[in-house]
Amino acid sequence: MRRSETRAAWLFISPWVVGFLVFTAYPVLYTAYLSLTDYDVINDPHFVGLENFRTLMDDPKVALALRNTAVFVVMSVPTHLLIALFLALLLNRAGRASGFFRTAFFLPKMTPPVAVGILLLLLFNGQSGLINRVLGSVGIDGPAWTTDPTWVKPGLVMMTLWTVGGSVVILLAALRSVPQELYDAARVDGAGWWRQTWHVTVPMISGALFFVFIVNTIHAFQSFTEAYTAYFGSGNTTYSNDAALFYAIYLFQQAFQFLHMGYASALAWLLFVVIMLVTLVQFRVSKRFVFYEGEQR
Amino acid sequence: MTAVGAPQERAELAPLVTEPERPAPARRSPRRRGRMASWLLYAALAAVTVAFVYPFVWLVSASFKPRSEVFDNKLIPDTFTLDNYVQVWHEAPMALWLLNTVIVTVLATAAVTVSSAMVAWGFSYFRFRGRGPLFGLVLATMMLPGAVTMIPTYLIWNSLGQVGTLTPLWAQNLFGSAFYIFLLRQFFLGLPRELFEAARMDGANQWQVFTRIALPLTRPALVVTALFEFQAAWTDLMRPLIYLRDSSTFTIPRGLKAMLDQFGFGGEWHWEIVVTASVIATVPMIVLFFLGQRHFVEGIATTGSKG
C-alpha cells in the first residue's frame, strides 16, 4: 500500500465522502436534534425535550397514518411477491416469446407515479371507471373504490400491482439460473410440476425472493406519490382522504405544509425505527428459509 | 430431457448423461396434454398482457376524445379530436415544464453517472486502510429512509438560497449515489486487473487509467446507471413538491399534479386535459424504455442477483 495509491483512492472517493458528511451524516444528527425542538424555519429552534414524542403518542393522525401504512404493507407486499413469482414462472415457460411478454409486463414500471395516481382515479372511479364497468359486465356491483374508506387501500394496492414488472424481471433472472439437473433429478424421483416448484424452484430462488420482499417492504412503508397524487390536494385547492393518509404523507404535510420541522423530525425518527425493526425481524426469520448457493451471497 | 431447454453452458454435459437411454421429455409425454398446457400458458400470458397494456391504451384513447366522452371507456373514440393536444399547451406552461424536466434530468443523470463511477473505481481498484468499513457505510446509507435526511437537507438548500430553484433537484447527484456506486463497483471488480497494471507500466497516471481504460470497458453498466437515473429524475414528485414554489419552475410530474388539482378534483372538471398531460408526461419514458430495453432488463436483473 503506497502512499500515492492511498491518496489517489481518497481523491476518487472524495465526492462520496463529502456527500456523505453533508447530506447524510449531518442531516441524520441534525434531525435527531430537531426532533427535540420546536422549529418553524423562521424562528430559531426552541428546545422542548421529549415534548414532540409525547405529542406523537397522543396524535390520532399518527395512529391513523401508522395503521393505514401497516394495512397497505400487509396487503401489498405479499400479493406483490406472489403475483411477481407467478408471472415469472409463466414467463420462464414461454420459450422464445418470453421477451415480448416481459416487455409488456415491465412497461407500466416506466410510468411516472403521478400518472399512476391519476390512472387510479380514472380507472377505479366508482361510477364510470373501467374496473367497475368490467365487474358490472359479469354481474358484480363494484364498490366506490376512490371514495369509500374501506375500498381506498385495496384500490391503491391493485393499482400499484400494475407496476409489479420490476420484480418479475428480477425473479425471472433468478429462475433462469436454476440448474436444469435439479429438475431432472426431481422428475426422476417422480415429482410433478407443483412439487418441483415448491421443493426445487422456490428454495433455489429464495435469495431473489427475499431481496424483492425486503425492498418492497421498505418501499411500501415509505409509499407516498400515488396516494398523495390521488387523494391529497396542494396549493389553493385542498382535498384529502383519511383512508389514504400514509405515514410518509403525514410527515410531508407536517414538515412542508405546516412547517412543524421539529415534530416532523420526530416522526421521521419513528419511521426509521419502525423500518429498522421490521427489516431486522425479516432478516432473522429469513435465515431459516433463504438458501444461498455456494459462493453467491 | 437434460439438453432440452437447458442453457448453452450445460450443452456439453448432456451427451455424457443422457446418450444411452434418453427418457422421453416428461413435460410433453402425453402429447395432447402438453399442447393443452401450452395453450393455457399463452392464454394466461395474453390475458396478463392485456391487463398490463390496457391502461396505457385507455389513457391514449381518452386523450383523443372530447370532454363529454372521456369516461365512456370505449377503445376507439366516437369522436376523434386533437383539440386536447392543442388545448393543453394553452392551459398550462407545458413547454416550460418539459424544458425544466429536461434540464433537471440531464444534469442529474450526468452528475450521478460521473461521480458514482469515480467513487466506485476508488472502492474497487485501490486497496487502502479502512476501505472495507467505508464501503460498508456506503451500503448502509441505502437502508436509510429518505425521511430521516429530508428536513435538514431542505434547510441546507434553504440557507443557500436555492429553494424555489431547480438546483436541489439534481445537485446532490454530484456526490454519487450509493446504489449506483454499488452497481458500478461490481462491474469494475469483474475487469482483469492486469490491464490496468500494464497501462501503469506504460506510464499512464491514475486518472488516465480510469478515464481511458476502465470507463470505456464499463459502458454497459454506465448506460444502466444513466437510464435508471434518467427515469428516477424524470418521474420524481416528492422533491419538486418540497422545493418548487412558482409554477414556472415546475417539472412535468409537479405540473401534472397541479393540473390534477385544478382541472380534476379542483373543481373545473376538465379531465380530458389531465389525461392528455399524463400521456405527454409518460411517452418520453416509454421511448426511453424502448431505446434501452436490454439495459433496463439486464440492469434490474443484476440488482436482484447481487443483492
Side-chain angles (χ1 to χ4, degrees):
Chain A
M1 198 197 328
R2 295 201 315 277
R3 197 182 296 157
S4 72
E5 282 253 317
T6 308
R7 205 178 53 208
W10 277 94
L11 280 175
F12 272 103
I13 67 168
S14 59
W16 177 79
V17 175
V18 173
F20 174 77
L21 293 175
V22 177
F23 290 109
T24 305
Y26 163 75
V28 166
L29 296 175
Y30 199 63
T31 315
Y33 163 69
L34 278 184
S35 71
L36 305 174
T37 69
D38 187 10
Y39 183 44
D40 61 2
V41 187
I42 298 137
N43 303 299
D44 285 341
H46 166 68
F47 191 83
V48 294
L50 292 173
E51 188 58 38
N52 285 327
F53 291 93
R54 250 172 260 137
T55 314
L56 179 157
M57 298 281 194
D58 298 328
D59 185 345
K61 290 261 180 185
V62 169
L64 176 73
L66 275 175
R67 200 165 50 232
N68 281 341
T69 309
V71 168
F72 179 74
V73 169
V74 167
M75 282 200 293
S76 80
V77 176
T79 0
H80 186 105
L81 190 69
L82 281 177
I83 289 183
L85 177 62
F86 174 71
L87 294 181
L89 286 169
L90 281 186
L91 278 183
N92 198 31
R93 308 198 111 209
R96 225 174 291 161
S98 69
F100 167 79
F101 290 114
R102 188 178 58 187
T103 301
F105 292 5
F106 186 79
L107 220 44
K109 188 85 188 149
M110 298 301 293
T111 318
V114 184
V116 176
I118 290 172
L119 272 170
L120 167 72
L121 290 174
L122 297 169
L123 300 176
F124 284 83
N125 183 293
Q127 282 124 44
S128 48
L130 179 68
I131 302 291
N132 277 1
R133 286 286 169 87
V134 172
L135 288 176
S137 70
V138 291
I140 300 171
D141 193 14
W145 299 95
T146 56
T147 48
D148 183 345
T150 331
W151 291 101
V152 162
K153 279 183 285 287
L156 268 166
V157 170
M158 284 169 70
M159 195 65 226
T160 45
L161 275 177
W162 188 49
T163 57
V164 75
S167 308
V168 175
V169 168
I170 292 176
L171 295 180
L172 180 64
L175 283 177
R176 292 200 165 145
S177 65
V178 178
Q180 184 65 28
E181 295 94 51
L182 293 177
Y183 292 112
D184 299 332
R187 204 170 295 122
V188 168
D189 290 344
W193 179 83
W194 178 248
R195 288 181 61 197
Q196 282 178 38
T197 303
W198 190 241
H199 292 291
V200 178
T201 312
V202 169
M204 286 306 285
I205 64 163
S206 54
L209 283 171
F210 181 59
F211 174 80
V212 169
F213 187 62
I214 287 272
V215 168
N216 284 332
T217 308
I218 294 175
H219 277 199
F221 265 110
Q222 302 177 67
S223 185
F224 174 82
T225 306
E226 291 88 351
Y228 184 83
T229 303
Y231 297 120
F232 295 87
S234 54
N236 41 11
T237 55
T238 44
Y239 50 95
S240 73
N241 190 325
D242 273 356
L245 183 73
F246 289 151
Y247 198 86
I249 294 175
Y250 188 55
L251 204 164
F252 171 83
Q253 290 179 329
Q254 284 296 333
F256 299 106
Q257 285 177 0
F258 310 139
L259 295 180
H260 296 160
M261 295 289 182
Y263 189 51
S265 297
L267 288 172
W269 270 97
L270 179 64
L271 178 68
F272 183 38
V273 170
V274 168
I275 292 181
M276 282 309 286
L277 285 178
V278 170
T279 312
L280 260 175
V281 168
Q282 287 178 334
F283 267 99
R284 272 285 160 78
V285 174
S286 81
K287 280 208 180 116
R288 297 165 56 187
F289 298 109
V290 179
F291 165 75
Y292 289 106
E293 189 189 3
E295 76 293 339
Q296 185 192 334
R297 231 190 62 91
Chain B
M1 187 60 208
T2 315
V4 179
Q8 308 88 307
E9 66 265 28
R10 276 177 243 296
E12 67 255 26
L13 282 173
L16 289 172
V17 187
T18 52
E19 213 54 74
E21 32 167 354
R22 187 176 163 146
R27 202 189 289 167
R28 289 186 200 156
S29 58
R31 256 241 165 112
R32 208 172 295 152
R33 224 183 109 199
R35 203 173 291 165
M36 183 73 181
S38 83
W39 191 87
L40 269 177
L41 171 72
Y42 283 104
L45 283 167
V48 178
T49 302
V50 169
F52 276 119
V53 175
Y54 202 81
F56 286 119
V57 179
W58 190 97
L59 201 65
V60 172
S61 167
S63 72
F64 291 115
K65 294 171 185 171
R67 184 183 179 188
S68 55
E69 291 171 19
V70 168
F71 283 101
D72 68 3
N73 290 318
K74 283 184 183 149
L75 181 59
I76 313 289
D78 281 343
T79 327
F80 183 90
T81 171
L82 289 169
D83 280 357
N84 301 333
Y85 283 91
V86 178
Q87 201 58 31
V88 76
W89 305 93
H90 295 302
E91 296 293 351
M94 287 289 284
L96 194 55
W97 292 350
L98 280 169
L99 178 68
N100 290 335
T101 316
V102 169
I103 293 171
V104 167
T105 305
V106 167
L107 289 173
T109 305
V112 95
T113 310
V114 172
S115 60
S116 301
M118 275 178 65
V119 176
W121 180 246
F123 275 116
S124 57
Y125 178 65
F126 301 99
R127 303 193 176 106
F128 55 96
R129 196 178 305 160
R131 184 178 77 162
L134 218 49
F135 191 67
L137 206 55
V138 175
L139 297 182
T141 60
M142 276 200 272
M143 301 288 284
L144 200 66
V148 179
T149 54
M150 188 169 77
I151 291 166
T153 305
Y154 170 84
L155 297 172
I156 292 173
W157 290 119
N158 191 35
S159 64
L160 294 174
Q162 295 300 314
V163 170
T165 74
L166 296 176
T167 317
L169 306 193
W170 64 271
Q172 246 174 283
N173 281 4
L174 290 168
F175 305 102
S177 162
F179 173 69
Y180 302 128
I181 293 171
F182 169 72
L183 196 79
L184 290 163
R185 178 176 169 271
Q186 291 297 115
F187 204 93
F188 283 134
L189 288 176
L191 299 175
R193 211 179 161 78
E194 302 83 62
L195 218 58
F196 310 121
E197 304 299 355
R200 290 286 287 151
M201 294 293 190
D202 290 344
N205 66 33
Q206 299 288 14
W207 183 249
Q208 286 165 333
V209 171
F210 172 62
T211 53
R212 304 240 177 105
I213 301 169
L215 277 190
L217 290 171
T218 324
R219 194 173 296 157
L222 293 172
V223 172
V224 169
T225 304
L227 287 172
F228 280 11
E229 186 58 25
F230 200 96
Q231 187 202 7
W234 186 278
T235 59
D236 184 34
L237 176 69
M238 172 95 86
R239 274 201 250 188
L241 274 177
I242 294 174
Y243 290 106
L244 303 180
R245 296 291 141 82
D246 193 89
S247 100
S248 66
T249 59
F250 282 2
T251 57
I252 272 286
R254 180 66 187 88
L256 201 50
K257 175 60 179 144
M259 291 183 98
L260 176 68
D261 289 344
Q262 185 185 344
F263 296 110
F265 278 144
E268 294 192 19
W269 220 256
H270 276 282
W271 284 93
E272 76 284 3
I273 297 291
V274 178
V275 161
T276 310
S278 304
V279 173
I280 295 174
T282 307
V283 163
M285 290 297 96
I286 305 292
V287 173
L288 182 74
F289 176 71
F290 280 109
L291 288 178
Q293 179 170 180
R294 193 169 50 89
H295 294 284
F296 262 109
V297 169
E298 279 170 13
I300 288 170
T302 30
T303 55
S305 64
K306 301 279 163 55

